[in-house]
Amino acid sequence: MTQHAVESSDTARSEAVSDALSDPFTPPAGSALWRKNFLLGAATASYQIEGAVSEDGRLPSIWDTFSATPGKVLHGDTGAVACDHYHRWESDIELLTSLNFEAYRLSIAWPRVMDEAGRPNRKGVDFYKRLLGKLKDNGVQTFVTLYHWDLPQHLEDRGGWLNRDTAYRFADYADLMSRELGGHVDAWMTLNEPWCSAFLGYGNGHHAPGLANTRYATQAMHHLLLAHGLATAVLRENDPASKKGIVANVGKSSANSLSAEDKRAAHLFEVQHNAWILDPLLKGEYPRDLWSLWPEAEPLVLDGDMRTIHAPLDFLGINYYFRTNVQSDGAHGYTEVPLAGVERTQMGWEVYPEGLRDLLIGFHRNYPALPPIYITENGMASDDRVSDGRVDDAQRIAFLKRHLAAVDQAIAEGVDVRGYFVWSLLDNFEWAFGYERRFGVVHVDYRTQQRTVKRSAQLIAKFLQERASRA
């Protein structure tokens, strides 16, 4: 960004902070958030918090390999220790409960629960049984993601998501988990953000396994979605009482001008970020415009694949963070043009809650088969510091308030949104950005593992307590 853009962004951030300090974290009367059946929870992911990467039979994952490769992760950080949640899970669940969160979204580490032959690793399975059991004992609803990017390295060595066989190995994994953990899980999510797994992992190399080829990305995506469909059938057979879904990260675009070329560029951005995943899931086909963006990159699709991918969903998880302003690249694609004078987070992402509202309303209109929605991730990174035992994360408070208001507006327009999960419960390993970017509503001192509840979490807890008292 230019210096002017930085100064304007700082001004926008200051205004958001002022708003947060002057206005309590309380939805207005009549808001859907006051309904007891609107679920409010927090989310985490295994590799980002657990640590203990070599304990109790856990196998290496692609993120162990990637983060240990020089230059791949900021400051050379790895998930080897992270938040040490593997050893501190009981106190972390007590903390979650003390904050009055009604639901917890977590992920299972595939390398922790199965060996290379597909047999269960009993110590790993028992860890999740104990964790889920404690959550249920505390009355917390459990939303479990099977795949949050930590593919076993031995499967990557055989081609990873470029190998069709990985989809069948994923179904085996789903079979084992649903047989072992059935009854402990309220909602299963097969995949987290397949766009990131496919495009960042195989398309541009920013994430593990670090490959960079558009053909790789589209084929990896097809196998990821096939894995989802195969696993969904297994989950329905083994654990019929639970809900089954998938989590998609979605992006909002804006055109840099009113020209037809820039409007087309904004459309293609949303095709690539949204329709690439949602059309196969909800329509049983890939969007045709995707191949105008990526000619000659269509994946190999076998007979019956799209029918498997198009399996009915009980819910759709939506992760949303920011808007991207784009213009035509002069060919058949788009290029990003950062806007000046907008509020941004520590990640450099624009704060644009209207994008969440508009996307939800658009999905509701464009997909007749749209199932109920949970916002499974929404939050922001900031450079939070502990001062006198407090963390006053005013920008995050404003961010969460405004995005919850956007969800409320979408509900008023007829969108069936059932709940919202804050990303994240804890500061954690933020993938290629390591430990520098803090998304948690609880601060983690990575040297001492001291947890400090931020002001945002205190206000959420206060609201949830007030809501419960009104029930």
Side-chain angles (χ1 to χ4, degrees):
M1 291 186 291
T2 65
Q3 182 61 36
H4 173 72
V6 171
E7 291 171 353
S8 299
S9 180
D10 287 343
T11 300
R13 184 179 299 109
S14 296
E15 291 172 351
V17 167
S18 175
D19 172 69
L21 293 175
S22 63
D23 189 12
F25 187 87
T26 304
S31 166
L33 275 61
W34 283 108
R35 301 174 191 163
K36 182 59 181 172
N37 63 353
F38 186 89
L39 205 60
L40 280 167
T44 63
S46 53
Y47 191 74
Q48 294 181 268
I49 66 169
E50 284 182 0
V53 297
S54 300
E55 291 190 36
D56 293 338
R58 181 189 179 278
L59 301 177
S61 78
I62 57 174
W63 270 96
D64 296 310
T65 303
F66 188 77
S67 62
T69 304
K72 295 297 185 182
V73 176
L74 196 64
H75 307 310
D77 293 338
T78 77
V81 177
C83 303
D84 196 31
H85 177 73
Y86 188 73
H87 301 114
R88 300 169 187 267
W89 65 271
E90 289 185 272
S91 58
D92 284 342
I93 296 308
E94 290 169 1
L95 176 60
L96 173 87
T97 304
S98 74
L99 295 173
N100 300 323
F101 283 114
E102 302 163 320
Y104 182 46
R105 179 184 172 220
L106 66 142
S107 76
I108 295 170
W110 189 351
R112 198 180 290 285
V113 296
M114 297 181 81
D115 67 12
E116 289 194 26
R119 296 176 299 236
N121 173 26
R122 185 52 52 194
K123 288 184 178 180
V125 173
D126 287 348
F127 166 72
Y128 293 107
K129 280 188 175 179
R130 293 192 300 271
L131 193 157
L132 291 167
K134 186 174 181 67
L135 288 165
K136 299 305 288 182
D137 288 346
N138 283 298
V140 177
Q141 292 193 41
T142 51
F143 282 61
V144 175
T145 309
L146 284 170
Y147 185 68
H148 204 123
W149 307 353
D150 41 1
L151 183 72
Q153 182 60 45
H154 68 88
L155 291 178
E156 181 59 37
D157 293 341
R158 302 208 299 266
W161 291 110
L162 298 179
N163 184 350
R164 185 181 175 91
D165 185 64
T166 301
Y168 296 94
R169 300 291 72 75
F170 182 76
D172 293 342
Y173 162 53
D175 179 51
L176 175 63
M177 289 299 95
S178 54
R179 284 188 284 108
E180 291 282 352
L181 303 178
H184 294 281
V185 177
D186 292 297
W188 292 98
M189 292 155 284
T190 53
L191 308 175
N192 177 74
E193 300 185 349
W195 184 92
C196 292
S197 296
F199 188 76
L200 300 183
Y202 293 86
N204 71 5
H206 184 64
H207 279 186
L211 303 181
N213 184 302
T214 303
R215 286 293 302 270
Y216 291 171
T218 56
Q219 194 63 60
M221 175 66 83
H222 184 68
H223 292 155
L224 281 155
L225 294 176
L226 179 63
H228 153 77
L230 294 169
T232 298
V234 171
L235 294 170
R236 290 199 183 282
E237 178 70 22
N238 291 350
D239 193 12
S242 62
K243 295 188 285 285
K244 290 84 183 172
I246 187 173
V247 173
N249 59 302
V250 298
K252 180 62 180 172
S253 66
S254 59
N256 195 53
S257 77
L258 296 178
S259 73
E261 293 80 11
D262 285 358
K263 289 181 179 179
R264 171 71 174 172
H267 165 73
L268 289 175
F269 177 95
E270 294 196 13
V271 167
Q272 197 251 45
H273 279 74
N274 306 334
W276 186 17
I277 297 91
L278 297 183
D279 278 17
L281 293 171
L282 301 176
K283 294 182 176 180
E285 61 187 18
Y286 287 108
R288 292 183 180 180
D289 280 353
L290 188 64
W291 314 128
S292 68
L293 178 66
W294 290 333
E296 302 180 4
E298 291 190 51
L300 175 64
V301 178
L302 302 186
D303 288 346
D305 283 2
M306 301 312 294
R307 185 168 58 253
T308 299
I309 291 169
H310 188 38
L313 296 169
D314 297 325
F315 70 95
L316 174 66
I318 291 291
N319 294 355
Y320 172 82
Y321 288 98
F322 59 95
R323 174 178 68 166
T324 303
N325 188 63
V326 300
Q327 67 181 17
S328 171
D329 65 0
H332 50 257
Y334 57 82
T335 184
E336 182 178 351
V337 183
L339 293 170
V342 299
E343 180 190 358
R344 296 187 182 275
T345 70
Q346 187 190 21
M347 296 290 287
W349 297 342
E350 180 191 2
V351 177
Y352 190 70
E354 297 86 353
L356 176 57
R357 176 200 63 203
D358 294 346
L359 285 170
L360 290 173
I361 293 171
F363 297 155
H364 176 63
R365 291 173 178 167
N366 295 332
Y367 293 106
L370 186 71
I373 288 172
Y374 290 89
I375 308 303
T376 38
E377 286 183 29
N378 180 238
M380 59 156 286
S382 58
D383 185 19
D384 300 321
R385 310 290 176 90
V386 179
S387 177
D388 297 325
R390 293 171 52 89
V391 180
D392 290 316
D393 54 338
Q395 189 190 8
R396 179 175 292 104
I397 294 166
F399 180 102
L400 295 174
K401 284 175 51 184
R402 291 165 62 196
H403 283 79
L404 282 165
V407 172
D408 209 32
Q409 292 162 8
I411 293 171
E413 292 294 325
V415 186
D416 186 2
V417 184
R418 303 281 179 91
Y420 175 99
F421 290 78
V422 177
W423 184 268
S424 172
L425 175 65
L426 304 171
D427 290 338
N428 54 52
F429 177 79
E430 183 46 40
W431 307 110
F433 294 100
Y435 294 103
E436 183 181 271
R437 315 296 167 92
R438 293 181 175 271
F439 274 89
V441 294
V442 175
H443 182 278
V444 177
D445 183 321
Y446 298 113
R447 182 179 61 84
T448 66
Q449 292 297 333
Q450 175 69 37
R451 274 69 162 149
T452 302
V453 176
K454 301 179 187 180
R455 179 65 174 157
S456 57
Q458 293 172 347
L459 292 176
I460 293 169
K462 181 181 178 182
F463 163 66
L464 287 170
Q465 183 177 37
E466 182 179 353
R467 190 175 77 167
S469 69
R470 294 187 182 186

